[in-house]
Amino acid sequence: MDPDVRLLEGVARGSEADFEELYRRYQPRLDSFFRQRIRDAQAAQELVQETMLIVWNRATTFNGSSRASTWILGIGYRKLLEWSRKERKAKDLFLTEADHESEQLPGDPQADASRKVGREDLMNEVRQALQGLTAEHRTVIELTFQQGLSYNEIAEIMNTNAGTVKSRMFYAKQRLKEILAERGMKGDELWQISKGA
Amino acid sequence: MADLKGRMKNEPNGHQEILELLPWYLNGTLGADERVRVQSHLQDCTTCRNEIDEMKGLQSAVLQEVPDLSEVLLQEALESVRGRPATGEHPMTRLTEKPAKERRFFLRPRLAFSFSMLMVIILAVGVYLGTILGHAPGATGVLTNPSELGAMIVNGYVVVGKQFLQQGTYRTMLGNQAIAKEDFTLEKDGNDVLRLSSTINSVERSGAGKTASQELSMTSDYRPSSYLITGNLVYQGNRAEAEISKDKAMMIHSGQDENLRRQVDLQGYPVLSDFSTMSQFELIHRVIVKQLDQGVAADQILLTDLAPQALRVGKMHLVSVDQAFLESPGGTISTTRYRLKEESDDGTLWIELYATSKTELVAVYMPKQESLHTTAGLFAYRSDLYKDGLTEPTSTAPF
Ligand SMILES: [Zn+2]
């Protein structure tokens, strides 16, 4: 049995030890999930805590029809949406391209792009470009590659269908390449990273 | 539409559908059917091969190091849930039946395995890490001669003599079947550090011909804090650690199948150490001898045994000490026999130690008994000393 499911069952019975173990497993995952979207580290931490408290309070409603990770990340995703709705200042909440540009060191992006750059530089470029995507697009990428979920699980978390998840991913990557081009990159950065640049 | 575009670019049928699957092909979550279709399509489609390279690049950029666990936040979260029962909005029947008292067992040792499973692990695999020795109040003392070979309890710690060295090979028999062999060395080095190295090879009882092995090394003073299992154990690379403080032991058992973390209340018992099967019995033997030498009455000697894998604590009482004989092809061996009774939530276990001197333990025997869940008794003996074997004792439990 999925050990996380076993832990969730323990939490449902009120086992604080199982909760502690589950917390140890999910706090880092949730933290990275939130921090990719929220610039305020404190707020990300609070969301982690709120999510885990919901896990504690609602563990009895977990019915095993999905993986434990899907269930927990789904709670996290809904927490995130709720939070961003509440704040209603999407520009501040989600890192935007503009935010990142202001953080960049002074310098001509064109010149930066033409200079010989290493793989780590390229990955940084891609990470910055990712911030220019919509939250939905970023979430699909993040849940796929950072959290390693299947498209069905992502659909469940985002409350949509598998087809939508696939097309979001497709357009997310297309848009990402456009953003890279807008930032003066050549457009083959992803390929270069995969080849070890 | 996309497919039409694909065909015009001379891409194989179903290209668009496969293209959309590539991210999940890459993260390994596709079902077997889709995976096979992607693989076969990739052989014919350069567009998809290029796409998968780009996806790999994206994956590398996205994959960042997962941040470390924040202990502060963990404690905060535990504070908030402590004493607050988990309340479901739609509790299922089986969960509404949860006994309130279960919650009170928080942080108390809980069985991670059934007892029979535990015995398979402990005895067939030969792993029996972790011993805490307890004692009656009058049983402490000082190690009068630090160079001696004994081990004893001082202020709740086990102190091991400076010259302490014990090594040997034990063979463990289940009836007439050899199920495990352990080589170990336990010694105190010049820096007062107790070192254990142990290699266990054993046969899994359930799988004919399957072997499991363990390499264990431990560095410790008389208050060790951790041990590490490496190698191909029955746990398949799982790792066990223990952090022991004055009154608590945190047991961490992690790996691909299991991830357990439990805190065990040591109830004030002094800590000995975490050891492999046989070196543990060696130390138990030394402590018993030392305490008897100091005039502690046999029925005052109480040892507490802790098995981290199963997070199980049992109290061992010395039941009796007498003379007994073991038979080997070379003749009869006269030994001192120490009979121990271990009680835990899992039942009672009866154990015999056979020693030829105050420093030479030669055999450990657990007669067939209910809590063992075996078809025969378990007999471990020093096969480096008795190459032709020893005959299994005829004791029956309870003693
Ligand atoms: Zn294709």
Side-chain angles (χ1 to χ4, degrees), chain B residues 204-263:
Chain B
E204 283 183 53
R205 280 171 53 204
S206 53
K210 281 167 77 183
T211 59
S213 65
Q214 169 194 265
E215 281 174 45
L216 184 146
S217 64
M218 184 194 73
T219 303
S220 150
D221 57 12
Y222 54 51
R223 191 170 194 183
S225 56
S226 71
Y227 58 80
L228 172 67
I229 299 173
T230 55
N232 178 27
L233 196 53
V234 86
Y235 291 90
Q236 298 290 341
N238 286 5
R239 170 191 157 110
E241 281 178 280
E243 295 161 12
I244 301 174
S245 64
K246 189 162 181 61
D247 51 1
K248 288 187 181 71
M250 178 66 89
M251 301 302 169
I252 305 146
H253 174 217
S254 56
Q256 54 203 31
D257 303 324
E258 284 289 347
N259 207 332
L260 304 168
R261 179 178 282 262
R262 291 287 184 279
Q263 194 168 299

Side-chain angles (χ1 to χ4, degrees), chain A residues 6 14 16 18 21 23-25 27-28 49 56-57 60 127 144 146 149-151 173 177 194-195, chain B residues 27 34 51 53-54 61-62 64 67 69-71 73 82 84 87-88 103 106 258-259 261-262:
Chain A
R6 199 174 45 71
E16 290 175 34
D18 284 340
E21 178 57 34
Y23 188 97
R24 287 182 183 279
R25 288 176 164 225
Q27 195 251 6
Q49 299 297 71
W56 168 260
N57 283 321
T60 52
R127 283 176 202 140
T144 303
Q146 177 93 354
L149 302 182
S150 73
Y151 56 74
K173 190 186 146 253
K177 291 181 78 168
S194 80
K195 296 298 168 194
Chain B
N27 83 356
E34 284 182 331
E51 175 74 10
D53 283 342
E54 293 198 346
V62 169
Q64 294 173 7
L69 172 79
S70 159
E71 288 290 338
L73 293 176
R82 199 154 283 156
R84 261 176 59 186
T87 51
R103 248 172 259 135
F106 161 54
E258 284 289 347
N259 207 332
R261 179 178 282 262
R262 291 287 184 279

Side-chain angles (χ1 to χ4, degrees), chain A residues 3-183:
Chain A
D4 292 353
V5 170
R6 199 174 45 71
L7 288 171
L8 263 180
E9 288 180 351
V11 173
R13 286 191 304 270
S15 160
E16 290 175 34
D18 284 340
F19 177 74
E20 178 178 345
E21 178 57 34
L22 200 67
Y23 188 97
R24 287 182 183 279
R25 288 176 164 225
Y26 278 91
Q27 195 251 6
R29 276 180 87 167
L30 286 167
D31 195 52
S32 81
F33 177 70
F34 290 128
R35 277 204 202 185
Q36 303 241 333
R37 291 162 188 73
I38 300 174
R39 59 183 311 132
D40 179 356
Q42 180 88 27
Q45 284 181 359
E46 280 166 18
L47 281 176
V48 172
Q49 299 297 71
E50 285 174 26
T51 302
M52 289 309 292
L53 287 182
I54 291 175
V55 168
W56 168 260
N57 283 321
R58 297 198 193 152
T60 52
T61 66
F62 175 71
N63 61 15
S65 67
S66 60
R67 285 207 304 180
S69 56
T70 311
W71 189 74
I72 295 171
L73 287 166
I75 292 172
Y77 182 65
R78 285 190 295 280
K79 268 278 119 168
L80 181 70
L81 293 179
E82 190 184 292
W83 186 79
S84 57
R85 266 198 306 273
K86 222 188 305 178
E87 297 285 314
R88 265 293 163 239
K89 287 186 282 179
K91 198 166 134 272
D92 292 340
L93 309 179
F94 294 98
L95 294 170
T96 63
E97 204 176 348
D99 289 332
H100 266 286
E101 276 169 2
S102 65
E103 284 171 8
Q104 276 184 301
L105 293 171
D108 179 3
Q110 294 283 354
D112 280 347
S114 60
R115 138 191 91 125
K116 173 88 181 122
V117 284
R119 184 164 184 262
E120 198 50 49
D121 299 309
L122 289 177
M123 291 206 286
N124 279 331
E125 282 294 337
V126 171
R127 283 176 202 140
Q128 298 205 355
L130 277 167
Q131 308 302 333
L133 294 177
T134 65
E136 281 179 342
H137 283 172
R138 264 203 324 275
T139 300
V140 171
I141 290 176
E142 147 75 354
L143 290 178
T144 303
F145 292 124
Q146 177 93 354
Q147 305 285 345
L149 302 182
S150 73
Y151 56 74
N152 280 324
E153 288 168 327
I154 296 169
E156 198 181 326
I157 287 172
M158 300 185 76
N159 197 23
T160 182
N161 58 53
T164 305
V165 170
K166 290 180 199 166
S167 70
R168 274 180 191 164
M169 173 65 93
F170 183 76
Y171 288 111
K173 190 186 146 253
Q174 205 168 65
R175 178 73 192 121
L176 183 69
K177 291 181 78 168
E178 285 168 19
I179 293 172
L180 283 167
E182 286 161 16
R183 294 170 69 88

